[in-house]
């Protein structure tokens, strides 16, 4: 599964881990990605979306129809 959100566009960020002795090593900050299935009433079918935790909260706020419209506006196939 790719680590990016279909709705918000969140993706991994990169940075450094700093030890007690201040040695630095590379690390990756992954978003909290979940696969969630929603019923899309207008098309009469389920859609499975890859969303971050914030993306799931956004869907709860604006509704699945508006969220799918935003995802399609970004050019992602649903």
């Amino acid at each position: 599964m790719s680590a990016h959100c279909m709705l918000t566009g969140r993706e991994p960020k990169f940075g450094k881990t700093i030890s007690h002795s201040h040695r630095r090593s590379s690390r990756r900050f992954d978003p909290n990605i979940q696969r969630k299935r929603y019923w899309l009433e207008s098309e009469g079918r389920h859609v499975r979306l890859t969303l971050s935790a914030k993306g799931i909260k956004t869907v709860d706020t604006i509704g699945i129809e508006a969220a799918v419209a935003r995802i399609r506006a970004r050019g992602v196939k649903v």
Side-chain angles (χ1 to χ4, degrees), residues 51-63:
L51 300 170
S52 63
K54 181 161 178 101
I56 292 172
K57 292 174 191 172
T58 303
V59 170
D60 291 343
T61 303
I62 67 173

Side-chain angles (χ1 to χ4, degrees), residues 5-6 8 15-18 20-21 25-26 28 31-33 36-37 47 55 58-60 62 66-67 69:
C5 178
M6 297 170 90
T8 62
K16 300 285 187 188
T17 287
I18 303 178
H20 180 69
S21 64
S25 56
S26 295
R28 179 175 152 148
N32 184 5
I33 297 294
K36 195 137 167 64
R37 196 175 103 157
V47 291
T58 303
V59 170
D60 291 343
I62 67 173

Side-chain angles (χ1 to χ4, degrees), residues 12-65:
K13 306 292 182 210
F14 297 90
K16 300 285 187 188
T17 287
I18 303 178
S19 70
H20 180 69
S21 64
H22 231 65
R23 292 173 69 100
R24 294 181 171 136
S25 56
S26 295
R27 65 160 291 184
R28 179 175 152 148
F29 296 91
D30 285 325
N32 184 5
I33 297 294
Q34 319 270 326
R35 285 191 58 144
K36 195 137 167 64
R37 196 175 103 157
Y38 291 98
W39 174 252
L40 195 57
E41 186 66 39
S42 63
E43 297 180 15
R45 68 183 182 106
H46 285 97
V47 291
R48 189 174 300 267
L49 302 177
T50 305
L51 300 170
S52 63
K54 181 161 178 101
I56 292 172
K57 292 174 191 172
T58 303
V59 170
D60 291 343
T61 303
I62 67 173
I64 186 62
E65 300 289 339

